[in-house]
Amino acid sequence: MGLARWPPGLLEQQKWHKGTPLASVSVDNALLDAFLRQDRYRIGCYAASKLSYAHAVLDYYVRVKKDPAKAALVRARLMHDKEPLVGVEPAAMWDFEKDFDADERDIPGKILSIKRGVAPGNFVPGDWVYLLNTDEVTYKKTGYEGSNAVYLGRGKFGDYYNDHRHAYTYSEKVDEVYQWRHGVFSRSRDAHKIKPLSDGDVVRLSATPAEGGLLLDFRVAPYLFGYEELPALPPR
């Protein structure tokens, strides 16, 4: 998932101290800054995914729906512990990791929920999915443990770093993660190392890691604010 580096700069331009908004900066402003000044942020796909969902959900109720009550609810949940990028997703999303703390399994996400047992190839726009790097060697390389992928719709997944023409198809996303074991960490620079996958390979790799594939069988997506009961967040 990688370590995030937050932009330095003149004091009046700073919005974050590491992953925490400065006390003088609203969460709305801090989240927006990451999209207005993208070139100043150096973050991995995990931090980028959390920023994307936090900003998107809040912005939807502020700017698109113009619903102050729901916007305030989203804002309050994000700032529940003054750390808007901590716990955006449910803790159980990471229960496949060897060092996962089972005592945290039931901690809900602030703005996202999880659905399990989803069949391969089933994606709804807005889904956050995870492809696990099952190669024991490259898994240990920081930032290449797996890929946090957001389904944009129309057969496309996000490309945070524009290393693949701004978006990936599902097959390309599977291929990206699989090729890490061959030392392909840049689709442009390491193109000569790519070992092409067949359609059958992509189908095989669409199984869960337990079945020899890469794709975990859950989907994480925003709550339907106003249409479902939200789980209580743990005491601060």
Side-chain angles (χ1 to χ4, degrees):
M1 291 181 284
L3 298 176
R5 288 186 289 164
W6 303 86
L10 299 175
L11 184 60
E12 62 270 19
Q13 296 177 332
Q14 291 182 354
K15 309 296 181 182
W16 301 85
H17 174 65
K18 297 183 178 179
T20 304
L22 298 182
S24 59
V25 179
S26 71
V27 64
D28 304 54
N29 192 357
L31 293 170
L32 179 60
D33 186 69
F35 295 87
L36 294 182
R37 301 196 300 162
Q38 296 178 31
D39 60 323
R40 297 181 61 81
Y41 288 75
R42 296 292 184 271
I43 56 178
C45 63
Y46 180 44
S49 295
K50 294 190 292 182
L51 276 167
S52 295
Y53 281 99
H55 173 62
V57 174
L58 182 55
D59 184 64
Y60 176 71
Y61 291 110
V62 171
R63 185 178 57 83
V64 180
K65 294 294 287 184
K66 295 181 173 59
D67 188 329
K70 288 192 177 69
L73 176 59
V74 173
R75 197 178 289 115
R77 289 184 71 90
L78 287 172
M79 296 302 293
H80 175 73
D81 53 3
K82 309 301 182 185
E83 298 286 354
L85 299 184
V86 173
V88 170
E89 77 284 17
M93 180 176 177
W94 308 109
D95 64 3
F96 62 90
E97 295 186 327
K98 293 179 180 179
D99 60 352
F100 179 74
D101 185 350
D103 291 339
E104 298 182 352
R105 187 181 306 279
D106 295 330
I107 298 177
K110 291 175 178 175
I111 61 172
L112 303 175
S113 63
I114 188 169
K115 302 294 182 185
R116 296 186 181 275
V118 181
N122 285 12
F123 307 106
V124 174
D127 279 349
W128 179 355
V129 306
Y130 193 78
L131 293 99
L132 179 67
N133 180 8
T134 57
D135 177 57
E136 293 184 1
V137 176
T138 53
Y139 174 85
K140 298 175 183 178
K141 183 178 174 64
T142 300
Y144 294 91
E145 302 89 344
S147 180
N148 295 280
V150 177
Y151 183 56
L152 306 176
R154 299 187 179 183
K156 300 290 186 180
F157 287 82
D159 174 16
Y160 290 124
Y161 311 108
N162 191 26
D163 195 35
H164 200 266
R165 304 184 302 277
H166 298 292
Y168 293 86
T169 65
Y170 173 69
S171 295
E172 290 168 342
K173 195 65 188 175
V174 170
D175 185 73
E176 179 205 24
V177 176
Y178 181 78
Q179 297 298 339
W180 291 342
R181 67 194 60 202
H182 299 308
V184 182
F185 301 115
S186 166
R187 302 295 293 187
S188 53
R189 184 185 64 244
D190 301 321
H192 63 286
K193 300 179 183 179
I194 294 175
K195 297 184 179 180
L197 294 176
S198 67
D199 291 343
D201 290 330
V202 172
V203 171
R204 174 176 57 83
L205 294 170
S206 295
T208 64
E211 299 169 321
L214 307 176
L215 181 65
L216 298 185
D217 68 348
F218 62 70
R219 305 290 183 268
V220 174
Y223 292 123
L224 300 175
F225 288 91
Y227 295 93
E228 63 178 316
E229 183 176 356
L230 302 178
L233 297 174
R236 289 175 285 184

